[in-house]
Amino acid sequence: GAGVSQSPRYKVAKRGQDVALRCDPISGHVSLFWYQQALGQGPEFLTYFQNEAQLDKSGLPSDRFFAERPEGSVSTLKIQRTQQEDSAVYLCASSLRGIDRVSDTQYFGPGTRLTVL
Amino acid sequence: ILNVEQSPQSLHVQEGDSTNFTCSFPSSNFYALHWYRWETAKSPEALFVMTLNGDEKKKGRISATLNTKEGYSYLYIKGSQPEDSATYLCAPTDSWGKFQFGAGTQVVVTP
């Protein structure tokens, strides 16, 4: 079956531009996560959706970052007025059940590499 | 936020040699630990989920052990092959279920 897909795979933006990153999770998965991976670091949690509800957005670095999952499937991470420090790989993951199922595997997409010039 | 450390940061292994590396995490309030393998330009791939002290998991030539009392997990690669070259990430979960990734161990296997 299809895994998690993300688009675009690579994005170059000029500082100040808005960008939108898309995630298509595995069909039927309840949970969807966004992570940010800066160079030399592990992925860091950004936000979590259970179906269409955004239950945790504690990792979003600033109010320039916004995520949505309006119909409980596809999700979009939007970054407004991009800054150089936003350059990173953005990973999306989905899992079958809710986040409280701590042993459930998260299935990752290949990521979007964002470079802000 | 959990303090997760992986060591070494990177290692080079000759093809055919075995190797191992460590994931350290706070031993209090342990819930679960996930291991992933991330090859360049691909999606992170789930290897193991470990929940019980003393857990041992195996997948082909890769195995992992877990010690929740002292707060560490080892991942072993037996008879390394070039296709084992990847970054290996560990992620214990917090009480909410959020993954807290370490920075990873980058493994390079040379023929």
Side-chain angles (χ1 to χ4, degrees), chain A residues 20-70:
Chain A
L21 312 180
R22 178 187 169 104
C23 172
D24 284 80
I26 294 173
S27 178
H29 277 198
V30 166
S31 293
L32 186 144
F33 306 84
W34 283 100
Y35 293 87
Q36 180 192 59
Q37 194 217 13
L39 194 63
Q41 299 180 23
E44 290 195 6
F45 171 86
L46 292 178
T47 188
Y48 162 66
F49 289 87
Q50 183 170 300
N51 298 308
E52 68 279 2
Q54 188 175 21
L55 298 187
D56 189 338
K57 53 182 179 179
S58 61
L60 296 176
S62 76
D63 58 7
R64 296 185 295 103
F65 287 71
F66 171 76
E68 60 183 5
R69 193 188 185 196

mmCIF file of all heavy atoms in Angstrom, chain A residues 20-70:
data_model
loop_
_atom_site.group_PDB
_atom_site.id
_atom_site.type_symbol
_atom_site.label_atom_id
_atom_site.label_comp_id
_atom_site.label_asym_id
_atom_site.label_seq_id
_atom_site.Cartn_x
_atom_site.Cartn_y
_atom_site.Cartn_z
ATOM 1 N N ALA A 20 4.113 26.630 1.422
ATOM 2 C CA ALA A 20 3.133 25.646 1.878
ATOM 3 C C ALA A 20 3.666 24.265 1.568
ATOM 4 O O ALA A 20 4.048 23.977 0.424
ATOM 5 C CB ALA A 20 1.790 25.867 1.189
ATOM 6 N N LEU A 21 3.708 23.421 2.574
ATOM 7 C CA LEU A 21 4.223 22.063 2.454
ATOM 8 C C LEU A 21 3.058 21.097 2.681
ATOM 9 O O LEU A 21 2.311 21.243 3.648
ATOM 10 C CB LEU A 21 5.330 21.824 3.492
ATOM 11 C CG LEU A 21 6.419 22.894 3.588
ATOM 12 C CD1 LEU A 21 7.445 22.505 4.651
ATOM 13 C CD2 LEU A 21 7.079 23.149 2.258
ATOM 14 N N ARG A 22 2.982 20.095 1.804
ATOM 15 C CA ARG A 22 1.836 19.189 1.845
ATOM 16 C C ARG A 22 2.236 17.811 2.337
ATOM 17 O O ARG A 22 3.328 17.327 2.036
ATOM 18 C CB ARG A 22 1.237 19.073 0.441
ATOM 19 C CG ARG A 22 0.058 18.108 0.318
ATOM 20 C CD ARG A 22 -0.352 17.940 -1.127
ATOM 21 N NE ARG A 22 -1.291 16.835 -1.303
ATOM 22 C CZ ARG A 22 -2.595 16.991 -1.507
ATOM 23 N NH1 ARG A 22 -3.129 18.215 -1.591
ATOM 24 N NH2 ARG A 22 -3.378 15.930 -1.663
ATOM 25 N N CYS A 23 1.324 17.190 3.072
ATOM 26 C CA CYS A 23 1.528 15.823 3.551
ATOM 27 C C CYS A 23 0.281 14.995 3.269
ATOM 28 O O CYS A 23 -0.829 15.382 3.650
ATOM 29 C CB CYS A 23 1.818 15.820 5.053
ATOM 30 S SG CYS A 23 1.864 14.157 5.783
ATOM 31 N N ASP A 24 0.488 13.842 2.624
ATOM 32 C CA ASP A 24 -0.587 12.873 2.414
ATOM 33 C C ASP A 24 -0.302 11.661 3.294
ATOM 34 O O ASP A 24 0.603 10.874 2.988
ATOM 35 C CB ASP A 24 -0.656 12.435 0.947
ATOM 36 C CG ASP A 24 -1.274 13.479 0.056
ATOM 37 O OD1 ASP A 24 -0.569 14.439 -0.312
ATOM 38 O OD2 ASP A 24 -2.456 13.341 -0.247
ATOM 39 N N PRO A 25 -1.034 11.489 4.381
ATOM 40 C CA PRO A 25 -0.754 10.378 5.294
ATOM 41 C C PRO A 25 -1.300 9.069 4.738
ATOM 42 O O PRO A 25 -1.979 9.045 3.700
ATOM 43 C CB PRO A 25 -1.514 10.787 6.557
ATOM 44 C CG PRO A 25 -2.692 11.554 6.031
ATOM 45 C CD PRO A 25 -2.168 12.301 4.816
ATOM 46 N N ILE A 26 -0.999 7.995 5.451
ATOM 47 C CA ILE A 26 -1.574 6.702 5.083
ATOM 48 C C ILE A 26 -3.082 6.763 5.329
ATOM 49 O O ILE A 26 -3.529 7.256 6.380
ATOM 50 C CB ILE A 26 -0.907 5.581 5.889
ATOM 51 C CG1 ILE A 26 0.571 5.470 5.488
ATOM 52 C CG2 ILE A 26 -1.619 4.256 5.684
ATOM 53 C CD1 ILE A 26 1.385 4.513 6.343
ATOM 54 N N SER A 27 -3.842 6.267 4.372
ATOM 55 C CA SER A 27 -5.295 6.332 4.464
ATOM 56 C C SER A 27 -5.800 5.638 5.729
ATOM 57 O O SER A 27 -5.378 4.521 6.049
ATOM 58 C CB SER A 27 -5.915 5.663 3.234
ATOM 59 O OG SER A 27 -7.320 5.664 3.313
ATOM 60 N N GLY A 28 -6.668 6.327 6.441
ATOM 61 C CA GLY A 28 -7.252 5.743 7.645
ATOM 62 C C GLY A 28 -6.483 6.011 8.919
ATOM 63 O O GLY A 28 -6.952 5.670 10.009
ATOM 64 N N HIS A 29 -5.309 6.597 8.796
ATOM 65 C CA HIS A 29 -4.534 6.904 10.007
ATOM 66 C C HIS A 29 -5.141 8.094 10.737
ATOM 67 O O HIS A 29 -5.403 9.140 10.150
ATOM 68 C CB HIS A 29 -3.069 7.159 9.656
ATOM 69 C CG HIS A 29 -2.276 5.912 9.528
ATOM 70 N ND1 HIS A 29 -0.894 5.895 9.572
ATOM 71 C CD2 HIS A 29 -2.659 4.614 9.390
ATOM 72 C CE1 HIS A 29 -0.475 4.649 9.461
ATOM 73 N NE2 HIS A 29 -1.519 3.860 9.342
ATOM 74 N N VAL A 30 -5.302 7.909 12.036
ATOM 75 C CA VAL A 30 -5.929 8.935 12.866
ATOM 76 C C VAL A 30 -4.970 10.083 13.157
ATOM 77 O O VAL A 30 -5.324 11.250 13.104
ATOM 78 C CB VAL A 30 -6.420 8.302 14.185
ATOM 79 C CG1 VAL A 30 -6.777 9.358 15.220
ATOM 80 C CG2 VAL A 30 -7.598 7.366 13.906
ATOM 81 N N SER A 31 -3.731 9.727 13.485
ATOM 82 C CA SER A 31 -2.770 10.727 13.950
ATOM 83 C C SER A 31 -1.853 11.200 12.840
ATOM 84 O O SER A 31 -1.448 10.410 11.977
ATOM 85 C CB SER A 31 -1.904 10.131 15.063
ATOM 86 O OG SER A 31 -2.666 9.866 16.212
ATOM 87 N N LEU A 32 -1.554 12.494 12.887
ATOM 88 C CA LEU A 32 -0.609 13.080 11.926
ATOM 89 C C LEU A 32 0.298 14.035 12.682
ATOM 90 O O LEU A 32 -0.165 14.838 13.504
ATOM 91 C CB LEU A 32 -1.354 13.810 10.816
ATOM 92 C CG LEU A 32 -0.483 14.348 9.660
ATOM 93 C CD1 LEU A 32 -1.214 14.225 8.335
ATOM 94 C CD2 LEU A 32 -0.019 15.759 9.908
ATOM 95 N N PHE A 33 1.581 13.937 12.394
ATOM 96 C CA PHE A 33 2.607 14.723 13.086
ATOM 97 C C PHE A 33 3.450 15.481 12.065
ATOM 98 O O PHE A 33 3.728 14.977 10.983
ATOM 99 C CB PHE A 33 3.553 13.804 13.872
ATOM 100 C CG PHE A 33 2.870 12.876 14.833
ATOM 101 C CD1 PHE A 33 2.354 11.667 14.396
ATOM 102 C CD2 PHE A 33 2.769 13.194 16.182
ATOM 103 C CE1 PHE A 33 1.730 10.789 15.273
ATOM 104 C CE2 PHE A 33 2.157 12.326 17.063
ATOM 105 C CZ PHE A 33 1.630 11.141 16.611
ATOM 106 N N TRP A 34 3.905 16.651 12.460
ATOM 107 C CA TRP A 34 4.911 17.393 11.713
ATOM 108 C C TRP A 34 6.146 17.547 12.598
ATOM 109 O O TRP A 34 6.036 17.830 13.804
ATOM 110 C CB TRP A 34 4.410 18.782 11.321
ATOM 111 C CG TRP A 34 3.462 18.802 10.156
ATOM 112 C CD1 TRP A 34 2.097 18.885 10.204
ATOM 113 C CD2 TRP A 34 3.804 18.785 8.761
ATOM 114 N NE1 TRP A 34 1.572 18.903 8.926
ATOM 115 C CE2 TRP A 34 2.605 18.843 8.034
ATOM 116 C CE3 TRP A 34 5.012 18.734 8.066
ATOM 117 C CZ2 TRP A 34 2.569 18.849 6.627
ATOM 118 C CZ3 TRP A 34 4.973 18.734 6.681
ATOM 119 C CH2 TRP A 34 3.762 18.794 5.967
ATOM 120 N N TYR A 35 7.310 17.366 11.963
ATOM 121 C CA TYR A 35 8.595 17.528 12.635
ATOM 122 C C TYR A 35 9.479 18.455 11.800
ATOM 123 O O TYR A 35 9.348 18.529 10.579
ATOM 124 C CB TYR A 35 9.319 16.183 12.770
ATOM 125 C CG TYR A 35 8.663 15.188 13.686
ATOM 126 C CD1 TYR A 35 7.679 14.317 13.212
ATOM 127 C CD2 TYR A 35 9.034 15.088 15.026
ATOM 128 C CE1 TYR A 35 7.077 13.394 14.037
ATOM 129 C CE2 TYR A 35 8.436 14.156 15.861
ATOM 130 C CZ TYR A 35 7.462 13.325 15.355
ATOM 131 O OH TYR A 35 6.868 12.399 16.189
ATOM 132 N N GLN A 36 10.420 19.083 12.481
ATOM 133 C CA GLN A 36 11.437 19.909 11.818
ATOM 134 C C GLN A 36 12.799 19.344 12.167
ATOM 135 O O GLN A 36 13.085 19.124 13.351
ATOM 136 C CB GLN A 36 11.332 21.360 12.304
ATOM 137 C CG GLN A 36 12.351 22.312 11.686
ATOM 138 C CD GLN A 36 12.366 23.645 12.421
ATOM 139 O OE1 GLN A 36 12.618 23.704 13.625
ATOM 140 N NE2 GLN A 36 12.076 24.729 11.698
ATOM 141 N N GLN A 37 13.612 19.103 11.143
ATOM 142 C CA GLN A 37 14.952 18.597 11.413
ATOM 143 C C GLN A 37 15.981 19.584 10.889
ATOM 144 O O GLN A 37 16.143 19.742 9.671
ATOM 145 C CB GLN A 37 15.195 17.224 10.789
ATOM 146 C CG GLN A 37 16.424 16.563 11.344
ATOM 147 C CD GLN A 37 17.194 15.771 10.314
ATOM 148 O OE1 GLN A 37 16.963 15.885 9.139
ATOM 149 N NE2 GLN A 37 18.114 14.941 10.785
ATOM 150 N N ALA A 38 16.661 20.224 11.798
ATOM 151 C CA ALA A 38 17.752 21.113 11.420
ATOM 152 C C ALA A 38 19.018 20.287 11.223
ATOM 153 O O ALA A 38 19.135 19.169 11.730
ATOM 154 C CB ALA A 38 17.969 22.169 12.504
ATOM 155 N N LEU A 39 19.966 20.853 10.508
ATOM 156 C CA LEU A 39 21.196 20.137 10.177
ATOM 157 C C LEU A 39 21.911 19.675 11.435
ATOM 158 O O LEU A 39 22.117 20.459 12.372
ATOM 159 C CB LEU A 39 22.103 21.058 9.359
ATOM 160 C CG LEU A 39 23.284 20.400 8.645
ATOM 161 C CD1 LEU A 39 22.779 19.402 7.607
ATOM 162 C CD2 LEU A 39 24.158 21.456 7.981
ATOM 163 N N GLY A 40 22.247 18.397 11.495
ATOM 164 C CA GLY A 40 23.010 17.870 12.612
ATOM 165 C C GLY A 40 22.189 17.539 13.842
ATOM 166 O O GLY A 40 22.745 17.159 14.881
ATOM 167 N N GLN A 41 20.883 17.690 13.737
ATOM 168 C CA GLN A 41 20.022 17.408 14.883
ATOM 169 C C GLN A 41 18.990 16.353 14.524
ATOM 170 O O GLN A 41 18.789 16.023 13.359
ATOM 171 C CB GLN A 41 19.318 18.690 15.331
ATOM 172 C CG GLN A 41 20.279 19.788 15.785
ATOM 173 C CD GLN A 41 19.533 21.031 16.219
ATOM 174 O OE1 GLN A 41 18.366 20.989 16.577
ATOM 175 N NE2 GLN A 41 20.219 22.152 16.194
ATOM 176 N N GLY A 42 18.345 15.819 15.537
ATOM 177 C CA GLY A 42 17.249 14.900 15.293
ATOM 178 C C GLY A 42 15.971 15.661 14.994
ATOM 179 O O GLY A 42 15.877 16.863 15.235
ATOM 180 N N PRO A 43 14.980 14.970 14.446
ATOM 181 C CA PRO A 43 13.688 15.629 14.196
ATOM 182 C C PRO A 43 13.086 16.166 15.489
ATOM 183 O O PRO A 43 13.103 15.484 16.510
ATOM 184 C CB PRO A 43 12.830 14.497 13.615
ATOM 185 C CG PRO A 43 13.813 13.500 13.072
ATOM 186 C CD PRO A 43 14.987 13.563 13.994
ATOM 187 N N GLU A 44 12.538 17.362 15.413
ATOM 188 C CA GLU A 44 11.885 17.978 16.574
ATOM 189 C C GLU A 44 10.398 18.155 16.284
ATOM 190 O O GLU A 44 10.009 18.637 15.225
ATOM 191 C CB GLU A 44 12.531 19.316 16.905
ATOM 192 C CG GLU A 44 13.938 19.186 17.462
ATOM 193 C CD GLU A 44 14.424 20.456 18.124
ATOM 194 O OE1 GLU A 44 13.630 21.401 18.262
ATOM 195 O OE2 GLU A 44 15.606 20.503 18.504
ATOM 196 N N PHE A 45 9.601 17.795 17.264
ATOM 197 C CA PHE A 45 8.149 17.852 17.145
ATOM 198 C C PHE A 45 7.679 19.285 16.911
ATOM 199 O O PHE A 45 8.129 20.214 17.586
ATOM 200 C CB PHE A 45 7.539 17.309 18.438
ATOM 201 C CG PHE A 45 6.054 17.487 18.557
ATOM 202 C CD1 PHE A 45 5.186 16.563 18.013
ATOM 203 C CD2 PHE A 45 5.524 18.590 19.220
ATOM 204 C CE1 PHE A 45 3.810 16.726 18.132
ATOM 205 C CE2 PHE A 45 4.156 18.764 19.350
ATOM 206 C CZ PHE A 45 3.301 17.815 18.803
ATOM 207 N N LEU A 46 6.772 19.424 15.967
ATOM 208 C CA LEU A 46 6.139 20.724 15.728
ATOM 209 C C LEU A 46 4.680 20.726 16.187
ATOM 210 O O LEU A 46 4.271 21.560 16.993
ATOM 211 C CB LEU A 46 6.189 21.087 14.242
ATOM 212 C CG LEU A 46 7.558 21.388 13.644
ATOM 213 C CD1 LEU A 46 7.432 21.673 12.147
ATOM 214 C CD2 LEU A 46 8.227 22.558 14.353
ATOM 215 N N THR A 47 3.889 19.782 15.652
ATOM 216 C CA THR A 47 2.468 19.807 15.933
ATOM 217 C C THR A 47 1.852 18.437 15.679
ATOM 218 O O THR A 47 2.430 17.593 14.998
ATOM 219 C CB THR A 47 1.760 20.883 15.077
ATOM 220 O OG1 THR A 47 0.407 21.030 15.499
ATOM 221 C CG2 THR A 47 1.792 20.529 13.587
ATOM 222 N N TYR A 48 0.659 18.219 16.269
ATOM 223 C CA TYR A 48 -0.012 16.931 16.213
ATOM 224 C C TYR A 48 -1.501 17.127 15.929
ATOM 225 O O TYR A 48 -2.141 17.983 16.534
ATOM 226 C CB TYR A 48 0.173 16.194 17.543
ATOM 227 C CG TYR A 48 -0.806 15.057 17.761
ATOM 228 C CD1 TYR A 48 -0.764 13.928 16.945
ATOM 229 C CD2 TYR A 48 -1.756 15.106 18.778
ATOM 230 C CE1 TYR A 48 -1.650 12.883 17.141
ATOM 231 C CE2 TYR A 48 -2.645 14.070 18.978
ATOM 232 C CZ TYR A 48 -2.593 12.961 18.159
ATOM 233 O OH TYR A 48 -3.472 11.921 18.345
ATOM 234 N N PHE A 49 -2.025 16.310 15.023
ATOM 235 C CA PHE A 49 -3.455 16.281 14.722
ATOM 236 C C PHE A 49 -4.014 14.905 15.048
ATOM 237 O O PHE A 49 -3.409 13.877 14.727
ATOM 238 C CB PHE A 49 -3.711 16.538 13.232
ATOM 239 C CG PHE A 49 -3.447 17.945 12.797
ATOM 240 C CD1 PHE A 49 -2.174 18.339 12.411
ATOM 241 C CD2 PHE A 49 -4.466 18.879 12.758
ATOM 242 C CE1 PHE A 49 -1.922 19.631 11.993
ATOM 243 C CE2 PHE A 49 -4.229 20.180 12.341
ATOM 244 C CZ PHE A 49 -2.950 20.550 11.967
ATOM 245 N N GLN A 50 -5.179 14.895 15.661
ATOM 246 C CA GLN A 50 -5.970 13.676 15.773
ATOM 247 C C GLN A 50 -7.193 13.905 14.905
ATOM 248 O O GLN A 50 -8.055 14.709 15.242
ATOM 249 C CB GLN A 50 -6.357 13.385 17.214
ATOM 250 C CG GLN A 50 -7.125 12.090 17.364
ATOM 251 C CD GLN A 50 -7.288 11.686 18.821
ATOM 252 O OE1 GLN A 50 -6.298 11.489 19.520
ATOM 253 N NE2 GLN A 50 -8.504 11.591 19.288
ATOM 254 N N ASN A 51 -7.240 13.186 13.799
ATOM 255 C CA ASN A 51 -8.227 13.491 12.746
ATOM 256 C C ASN A 51 -8.071 14.960 12.334
ATOM 257 O O ASN A 51 -6.974 15.389 12.025
ATOM 258 C CB ASN A 51 -9.623 13.122 13.207
ATOM 259 C CG ASN A 51 -9.750 11.633 13.479
ATOM 260 O OD1 ASN A 51 -9.402 10.811 12.632
ATOM 261 N ND2 ASN A 51 -10.215 11.276 14.672
ATOM 262 N N GLU A 52 -9.131 15.737 12.393
ATOM 263 C CA GLU A 52 -9.004 17.130 11.948
ATOM 264 C C GLU A 52 -8.637 18.077 13.089
ATOM 265 O O GLU A 52 -8.378 19.263 12.857
ATOM 266 C CB GLU A 52 -10.308 17.592 11.293
ATOM 267 C CG GLU A 52 -11.485 17.736 12.236
ATOM 268 C CD GLU A 52 -12.160 16.419 12.537
ATOM 269 O OE1 GLU A 52 -11.694 15.372 12.032
ATOM 270 O OE2 GLU A 52 -13.177 16.423 13.268
ATOM 271 N N ALA A 53 -8.603 17.576 14.304
ATOM 272 C CA ALA A 53 -8.347 18.433 15.463
ATOM 273 C C ALA A 53 -6.850 18.564 15.738
ATOM 274 O O ALA A 53 -6.149 17.562 15.888
ATOM 275 C CB ALA A 53 -9.049 17.855 16.689
ATOM 276 N N GLN A 54 -6.390 19.796 15.850
ATOM 277 C CA GLN A 54 -4.993 20.052 16.200
ATOM 278 C C GLN A 54 -4.900 20.074 17.714
ATOM 279 O O GLN A 54 -5.251 21.064 18.359
ATOM 280 C CB GLN A 54 -4.524 21.372 15.597
ATOM 281 C CG GLN A 54 -3.033 21.622 15.746
ATOM 282 C CD GLN A 54 -2.576 22.897 15.027
ATOM 283 O OE1 GLN A 54 -3.377 23.779 14.751
ATOM 284 N NE2 GLN A 54 -1.290 22.986 14.709
ATOM 285 N N LEU A 55 -4.411 18.982 18.289
ATOM 286 C CA LEU A 55 -4.411 18.837 19.744
ATOM 287 C C LEU A 55 -3.148 19.367 20.406
ATOM 288 O O LEU A 55 -3.150 19.584 21.625
ATOM 289 C CB LEU A 55 -4.617 17.369 20.121
ATOM 290 C CG LEU A 55 -5.948 16.745 19.677
ATOM 291 C CD1 LEU A 55 -6.094 15.339 20.260
ATOM 292 C CD2 LEU A 55 -7.127 17.621 20.049
ATOM 293 N N ASP A 56 -2.093 19.528 19.659
ATOM 294 C CA ASP A 56 -0.849 19.991 20.251
ATOM 295 C C ASP A 56 -0.082 20.777 19.196
ATOM 296 O O ASP A 56 0.238 20.227 18.150
ATOM 297 C CB ASP A 56 -0.017 18.794 20.751
ATOM 298 C CG ASP A 56 1.203 19.208 21.571
ATOM 299 O OD1 ASP A 56 1.679 20.357 21.436
ATOM 300 O OD2 ASP A 56 1.700 18.361 22.336
ATOM 301 N N LYS A 57 0.156 22.031 19.466
ATOM 302 C CA LYS A 57 0.975 22.847 18.554
ATOM 303 C C LYS A 57 2.102 23.509 19.321
ATOM 304 O O LYS A 57 2.616 24.552 18.927
ATOM 305 C CB LYS A 57 0.129 23.865 17.806
ATOM 306 C CG LYS A 57 -0.741 24.767 18.648
ATOM 307 C CD LYS A 57 -1.559 25.689 17.755
ATOM 308 C CE LYS A 57 -2.454 26.599 18.578
ATOM 309 N NZ LYS A 57 -3.245 27.523 17.718
ATOM 310 N N SER A 58 2.499 22.859 20.408
ATOM 311 C CA SER A 58 3.492 23.442 21.299
ATOM 312 C C SER A 58 4.870 23.574 20.669
ATOM 313 O O SER A 58 5.681 24.363 21.129
ATOM 314 C CB SER A 58 3.598 22.598 22.575
ATOM 315 O OG SER A 58 4.012 21.286 22.257
ATOM 316 N N GLY A 59 5.160 22.812 19.616
ATOM 317 C CA GLY A 59 6.477 22.863 19.001
ATOM 318 C C GLY A 59 6.620 23.869 17.880
ATOM 319 O O GLY A 59 7.724 24.089 17.381
ATOM 320 N N LEU A 60 5.543 24.505 17.471
ATOM 321 C CA LEU A 60 5.641 25.499 16.401
ATOM 322 C C LEU A 60 6.502 26.650 16.887
ATOM 323 O O LEU A 60 6.218 27.247 17.931
ATOM 324 C CB LEU A 60 4.252 25.980 15.996
ATOM 325 C CG LEU A 60 3.335 24.920 15.375
ATOM 326 C CD1 LEU A 60 1.951 25.492 15.098
ATOM 327 C CD2 LEU A 60 3.942 24.354 14.109
ATOM 328 N N PRO A 61 7.563 27.006 16.157
ATOM 329 C CA PRO A 61 8.545 27.959 16.673
ATOM 330 C C PRO A 61 8.046 29.398 16.766
ATOM 331 O O PRO A 61 8.567 30.161 17.576
ATOM 332 C CB PRO A 61 9.715 27.863 15.683
ATOM 333 C CG PRO A 61 9.306 26.967 14.590
ATOM 334 C CD PRO A 61 7.986 26.396 14.870
ATOM 335 N N SER A 62 7.090 29.769 15.959
ATOM 336 C CA SER A 62 6.587 31.143 16.019
ATOM 337 C C SER A 62 5.205 31.192 15.374
ATOM 338 O O SER A 62 4.740 30.195 14.808
ATOM 339 C CB SER A 62 7.543 32.091 15.272
ATOM 340 O OG SER A 62 7.387 31.948 13.866
ATOM 341 N N ASP A 63 4.583 32.347 15.486
ATOM 342 C CA ASP A 63 3.241 32.473 14.893
ATOM 343 C C ASP A 63 3.304 32.575 13.378
ATOM 344 O O ASP A 63 2.268 32.721 12.718
ATOM 345 C CB ASP A 63 2.483 33.659 15.503
ATOM 346 C CG ASP A 63 3.207 34.977 15.321
ATOM 347 O OD1 ASP A 63 4.235 35.002 14.599
ATOM 348 O OD2 ASP A 63 2.768 35.967 15.909
ATOM 349 N N ARG A 64 4.494 32.482 12.803
ATOM 350 C CA ARG A 64 4.587 32.427 11.347
ATOM 351 C C ARG A 64 4.269 31.027 10.821
ATOM 352 O O ARG A 64 4.062 30.843 9.634
ATOM 353 C CB ARG A 64 5.995 32.840 10.887
ATOM 354 C CG ARG A 64 6.359 34.285 11.220
ATOM 355 C CD ARG A 64 7.715 34.664 10.623
ATOM 356 N NE ARG A 64 8.828 33.909 11.209
ATOM 357 C CZ ARG A 64 9.435 32.882 10.610
ATOM 358 N NH1 ARG A 64 9.060 32.505 9.388
ATOM 359 N NH2 ARG A 64 10.431 32.260 11.209
ATOM 360 N N PHE A 65 4.278 30.050 11.734
ATOM 361 C CA PHE A 65 4.029 28.665 11.364
ATOM 362 C C PHE A 65 2.568 28.324 11.655
ATOM 363 O O PHE A 65 2.060 28.585 12.755
ATOM 364 C CB PHE A 65 4.935 27.718 12.163
ATOM 365 C CG PHE A 65 6.366 27.728 11.732
ATOM 366 C CD1 PHE A 65 7.182 28.817 11.976
ATOM 367 C CD2 PHE A 65 6.908 26.622 11.078
ATOM 368 C CE1 PHE A 65 8.510 28.825 11.575
ATOM 369 C CE2 PHE A 65 8.236 26.618 10.676
ATOM 370 C CZ PHE A 65 9.041 27.717 10.926
ATOM 371 N N PHE A 66 1.938 27.698 10.666
ATOM 372 C CA PHE A 66 0.534 27.360 10.797
ATOM 373 C C PHE A 66 0.299 26.017 10.106
ATOM 374 O O PHE A 66 0.817 25.772 9.023
ATOM 375 C CB PHE A 66 -0.311 28.464 10.139
ATOM 376 C CG PHE A 66 -1.761 28.146 10.015
ATOM 377 C CD1 PHE A 66 -2.594 28.204 11.117
ATOM 378 C CD2 PHE A 66 -2.313 27.795 8.790
ATOM 379 C CE1 PHE A 66 -3.935 27.921 11.002
ATOM 380 C CE2 PHE A 66 -3.659 27.502 8.667
ATOM 381 C CZ PHE A 66 -4.475 27.568 9.784
ATOM 382 N N ALA A 67 -0.457 25.134 10.740
ATOM 383 C CA ALA A 67 -0.753 23.828 10.145
ATOM 384 C C ALA A 67 -2.240 23.570 10.190
ATOM 385 O O ALA A 67 -2.943 24.041 11.088
ATOM 386 C CB ALA A 67 0.007 22.723 10.869
ATOM 387 N N GLU A 68 -2.695 22.819 9.212
ATOM 388 C CA GLU A 68 -4.118 22.468 9.168
ATOM 389 C C GLU A 68 -4.298 21.077 8.580
ATOM 390 O O GLU A 68 -3.462 20.591 7.816
ATOM 391 C CB GLU A 68 -4.900 23.498 8.361
ATOM 392 C CG GLU A 68 -4.461 23.652 6.921
ATOM 393 C CD GLU A 68 -5.228 24.739 6.186
ATOM 394 O OE1 GLU A 68 -6.034 25.454 6.801
ATOM 395 O OE2 GLU A 68 -5.007 24.877 4.967
ATOM 396 N N ARG A 69 -5.431 20.484 8.931
ATOM 397 C CA ARG A 69 -5.816 19.169 8.410
ATOM 398 C C ARG A 69 -7.344 19.148 8.368
ATOM 399 O O ARG A 69 -7.990 18.462 9.127
ATOM 400 C CB ARG A 69 -5.277 18.055 9.335
ATOM 401 C CG ARG A 69 -5.353 16.658 8.745
ATOM 402 C CD ARG A 69 -4.974 15.600 9.794
ATOM 403 N NE ARG A 69 -4.926 14.279 9.188
ATOM 404 C CZ ARG A 69 -4.925 13.148 9.903
ATOM 405 N NH1 ARG A 69 -4.977 13.190 11.234
ATOM 406 N NH2 ARG A 69 -4.878 11.991 9.292
ATOM 407 N N PRO A 70 -7.911 19.935 7.490
ATOM 408 C CA PRO A 70 -9.346 20.260 7.546
ATOM 409 C C PRO A 70 -10.299 19.081 7.435
ATOM 410 O O PRO A 70 -11.379 19.125 8.019
ATOM 411 C CB PRO A 70 -9.537 21.245 6.387
ATOM 412 C CG PRO A 70 -8.360 21.033 5.492
ATOM 413 C CD PRO A 70 -7.230 20.597 6.372
#
